[in-house]
Structure formats: C-alpha cells, structure tokens
C-alpha cells in the first residue's frame, strides 16, 4: 500500500509522513548526492554521524592530553619530556600518537618553542622562563583521527610574547566564526588574515595550512589562513577539517632546518599557533576538540 504525503507516518511518531520519515529520506538522499559530488570533485570525504562521533571521541582524548601537558609546563623541563608525557598518556588511554613515524617524523608530538613555527622535533631543548611553546597533539583512536594544539606561556613572559599568543588565539576564533554552510574556505582565511595583518600588524604563515582530518591524519581540503571572501570550496555539512593559523610577530617568511621538519621564522621573531578540529553542521560548526579561546 502506497503511503501518501499527508498520511500518518508508519514509524508511529504521530506526525504526517511528509513531516517525518519522508523528510528524513529526502535529507539522506541529498547528503548522499552531496557526498558523491564532493568526493568526485575535490576528493573530500564528508563524514556521517557515526564518523563524527568517532572523531569526537578521539578529540576528547586529544584535549585531555593537552590539559595534562598544560599542568606540566614550567621552566627546566625539556621538549623531550613533553614528548614522553604525551606518548605514555596516549597509549595508556588506548590511543595511538599519530605523528610517530609519520613520513619519518621521529617523535609522538610536535613541540615548537619561540621562533619555531611548527613541526618542532622534541629533544634536549630546555624550556626557560619567558618562552612560549606550542604543543600539537594528533591522536588516532579506534580508527579515527583528531588534531589540536595550544601555545603555552612558560612562567612570566614579555609583553611581545603575550601579545603574539593572544593574537594567534583570537585569529583562530575569528576564523571559526566564518564556518557555516554556504560560506567558503576563503572566508575563513580572509577573516584570519585581515585580523592578524591589517588590525594587529603581525603576519600569517602561508606555507602551512589547515587540512581535512578524521579518516586519515591529513585529507583534503586544505584550509589556508589567508584568502579572499567568497573564494574557494563552499562549506557543506559533514566537512571535517582543522583550522590552525600560525601567526608571526615579525615577517611571514620561514625556513626549514636541516632535520627537514622544523619550520622557523627567518627573522627570528616569535610565532604562535592555536588549532581545533571542527565539523560543519547544518547551521554552523561544532568543535570536535573544544577548548576555551
């Protein structure tokens, strides 16, 4: 027997069919079509509800790891000590440190101090009073990846150090505010760049970008932290990616050290970064690695 649009829904909800399961079926078909289109055109794999829940669980472990590290940040510890903390905590809670052996990266976390923009390899560098240090944690848990980082201040820092940390934090906040269906990747980058460069007189690193994440450590799309309004890929529900602006106190230029990983400012100026993994929702976004900005 065919069910009419105005008939009671057979699921027993008490609603008309057109207001209940018919609408859900149409939404599911629409998502399926969009999912196929975005993979075919951009190689972007939109995430379904079960995937988002899996990434969120990984994200919860990432945030617990960062919270644990924050309590240990102090003058006198080495960056390798931070690596040990992250590695052991992650393993103890059932996760896998994604950076370890990723394309040859030798440690379980990136730790970047002062002029190091990103991808700092933990070692015997000792944190000193006045340093700023970024800890970038990516965890794989039950097959799903989540990625987040924070920049911490070590003891009492200079006004310049405090300033760049605050600008980087606010830059992420400005970028996240642009995330909703119908906006573009360029809207995110424009908001970050306009704030950091035009309003605050700092610079945005161009070579390092945010990225899709969830099924893999790095997936399409790339999320530049500079750009033009209305340009780039249109944001749609189910997209999961990181926003992670790297903001320099001086010029934007970087160089890679001989270890082929560590990126530092060419002019030796301080650099800071904050990062969260987000999912685009029907009305905006949700952070899957939430912390207060």
């Amino acid at each position: 027997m065919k069910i009419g649009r105005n008939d009671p829904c057979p699921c027993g909800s008490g609603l008309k069919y057109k207001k209940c399961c018919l609408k859900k079926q149409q939404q599911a078909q629409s998502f399926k079509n969009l999912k196929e289109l975005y993979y075919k055109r951009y190689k972007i794999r939109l995430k379904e509800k079960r995937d988002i829940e899996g990434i969120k669980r990984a994200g919860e472990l990432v945030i617990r790891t960062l919270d644990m590290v924050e309590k240990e940040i102090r003058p006198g510890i080495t960056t390798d000590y931070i690596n040990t903390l992250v590695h052991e905590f992650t393993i103890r809670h059932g996760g896998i440190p994604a950076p370890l052996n990723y394309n040859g990266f030798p440690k379980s976390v990136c730790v970047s101090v002062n002029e190091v923009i990103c991808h700092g390899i933990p070692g015997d560098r000792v944190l000193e009073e006045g340093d700023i240090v970024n800890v970038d944690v990516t965890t794989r848990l039950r097959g799903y990846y989540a990625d987040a980082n924070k920049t911490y201040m070590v003891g009492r820092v200079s006004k310049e150090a405090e300033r760049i940390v605050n600008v980087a934090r606010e830059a992420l906040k400005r970028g996240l505010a642009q995330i909703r269906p119908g906006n573009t990747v360029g809207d995110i980058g424009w908001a970050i760049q306009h704030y950091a460069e035009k309003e605050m007189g700092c610079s945005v690193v161009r070579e390092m970008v945010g990225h899709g994440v969830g099924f893999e450590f790095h997936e399409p799309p790339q999320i530049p932290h500079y750009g033009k309004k209305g340009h780039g890929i249109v944001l749609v529900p189910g997209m999961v990616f990181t926003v992670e602006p790297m903001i320099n106190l001086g010029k934007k230029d970087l160089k890679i050290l001989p270890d082929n990983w560590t990126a530092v400012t060419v002019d030796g100026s301080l650099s800071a970064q904050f990062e969260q993994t987000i999912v685009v929702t029907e009305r905006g976004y949700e952070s899957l690695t939430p912390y207060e900005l």
Side-chain angles (χ1 to χ4, degrees):
M1 178 178 177
K2 185 176 180 180
I3 303 170
R5 290 172 55 84
N6 291 311
D7 290 338
C9 189
C11 75
S13 66
L15 299 173
K16 291 182 179 181
Y17 179 52
K18 67 181 181 182
K19 293 286 188 178
C20 191
C21 286
L22 176 60
K23 187 176 181 180
K24 293 176 182 176
Q25 289 166 1
Q26 290 171 338
Q27 289 174 338
Q29 185 61 44
S30 176
F31 179 77
K32 180 182 178 184
N33 294 341
L34 194 61
K35 189 175 181 181
E36 292 173 352
L37 172 65
Y38 265 60
Y39 185 74
K40 182 177 181 180
R41 183 172 295 177
Y42 306 117
K43 300 301 180 186
I44 295 172
R45 293 188 285 177
L46 301 183
K47 275 66 175 181
E48 299 182 17
K49 183 177 180 180
R50 65 177 181 273
D51 304 317
I52 294 166
E53 290 302 316
I55 299 166
K56 185 182 292 187
R57 283 192 294 270
E60 289 170 353
L61 180 52
V62 167
I63 294 304
R64 288 172 61 196
T65 306
L66 287 171
D67 289 345
M68 177 274 299
V69 167
E70 184 170 9
K71 296 175 183 177
E72 297 289 336
I73 296 294
R74 61 186 184 276
I77 67 170
T78 65
T79 55
D80 199 48
Y81 175 69
I82 296 173
N83 179 77
T84 299
L85 290 174
V86 170
H87 182 90
E88 292 181 351
F89 188 87
T90 303
I91 297 298
R92 189 163 63 250
H93 290 87
I96 298 171
L100 185 60
N101 299 319
Y102 178 78
N103 290 339
F105 191 81
K107 297 288 184 173
S108 294
V109 65
C110 296
V111 183
S112 304
V113 183
N114 293 341
E115 77 287 352
V116 180
I117 296 170
C118 62
H119 303 159
I121 299 175
D124 58 6
R125 184 166 183 170
V126 177
L127 298 187
E128 299 178 358
E129 183 89 8
D131 285 343
I132 59 174
V133 55
N134 180 272
V135 180
D136 191 344
V137 175
T138 308
T139 299
R140 182 183 181 192
L141 183 68
R142 301 176 190 172
Y144 290 102
Y145 293 78
D147 188 2
N149 72 50
K150 291 183 180 182
T151 299
Y152 304 103
M153 293 181 279
V154 184
R156 301 179 67 176
V157 304
S158 66
K159 290 183 179 179
E160 290 80 8
E162 185 175 6
R163 180 170 181 269
I164 193 60
V165 171
N166 289 335
V167 170
R169 182 187 290 110
E170 180 65 21
L172 175 58
K173 189 175 181 179
R174 298 288 182 100
L176 295 181
Q178 295 298 314
I179 300 174
R180 55 187 174 271
N183 271 13
T184 67
V185 168
D187 292 325
I188 300 171
W190 178 88
I192 291 169
Q193 183 182 12
H194 186 270
Y195 168 71
E197 295 186 348
K198 301 297 183 182
E199 295 184 31
M200 303 307 296
C202 298
S203 63
V204 177
V205 172
R206 304 299 202 267
E207 294 87 344
M208 308 297 180
V209 298
H211 55 87
V213 68
F215 297 136
E216 303 290 342
F217 194 160
H218 294 93
E219 307 174 15
Q222 292 190 344
I223 309 294
H225 305 113
Y226 61 94
K228 296 181 179 180
K229 286 184 177 181
H231 284 231
I233 297 170
V234 175
L235 306 180
V236 297
M239 289 177 68
V240 176
F241 53 81
T242 70
V243 183
E244 47 182 302
M246 284 145 273
I247 310 298
N248 296 347
L249 192 60
K251 295 182 178 179
K252 67 180 184 299
D253 308 286
L254 64 76
K255 63 181 178 181
I256 305 297
L257 298 186
D259 60 25
N260 293 322
W261 280 103
T262 307
V264 301
T265 57
V266 170
D267 60 9
S269 63
L270 295 173
S271 185
Q273 179 188 19
F274 288 85
E275 172 189 25
Q276 293 190 20
T277 294
I278 66 90
V279 57
V280 182
T281 64
E282 294 289 341
R283 296 186 178 182
Y285 76 92
E286 178 186 359
S287 177
L288 304 179
T289 54
Y291 58 78
E292 185 176 358
L293 289 170

